Amino acid sequence: MVTDCHRDSLGCLIGYGLAAGITALLSQELFRIPLVVSARTFLYAALVVMLSAIASSVSIGLRLQQLDLIAVLQTRE
């Protein structure tokens, strides 16, 4: 069973690997793009994911409140 902590760190590792791969592909003889990732970068990424999840759940909750469940349950297929 994968815990939340392991899943989050796995996502950070995958993100870091993608960034390193893109940086390696974009580096040429004329210029090189350095890969600079700090703890603040991971914190910002986690904050964006949490805010997106909150916004999504609020949006879904508002749409569910507007449903007329009795009318939905009475409809025949």
Side-chain angles (χ1 to χ4, degrees):
M1 184 166 133
V2 179
T3 62
D4 289 337
C5 182
H6 289 102
R7 186 176 57 226
D8 294 341
S9 60
L10 179 64
C12 288
L13 286 174
I14 292 172
Y16 184 82
L18 285 172
I22 291 171
T23 302
L25 289 174
L26 292 177
S27 294
Q28 299 175 358
E29 287 185 25
L30 295 176
F31 63 91
R32 299 197 187 275
I33 300 172
L35 177 62
V36 180
V37 180
S38 65
R40 189 174 184 177
T41 305
F42 289 116
L43 179 66
Y44 180 71
L47 182 67
V48 167
V49 169
M50 288 189 321
L51 289 176
S52 298
I54 291 170
S56 175
S57 64
V58 167
S59 173
I60 290 171
L62 290 175
R63 292 184 112 189
L64 284 175
Q65 286 178 352
Q66 293 175 354
L67 278 179
D68 185 11
L69 291 179
I70 295 173
V72 171
L73 292 173
Q74 288 178 351
T75 59
R76 297 183 187 237
E77 292 182 19

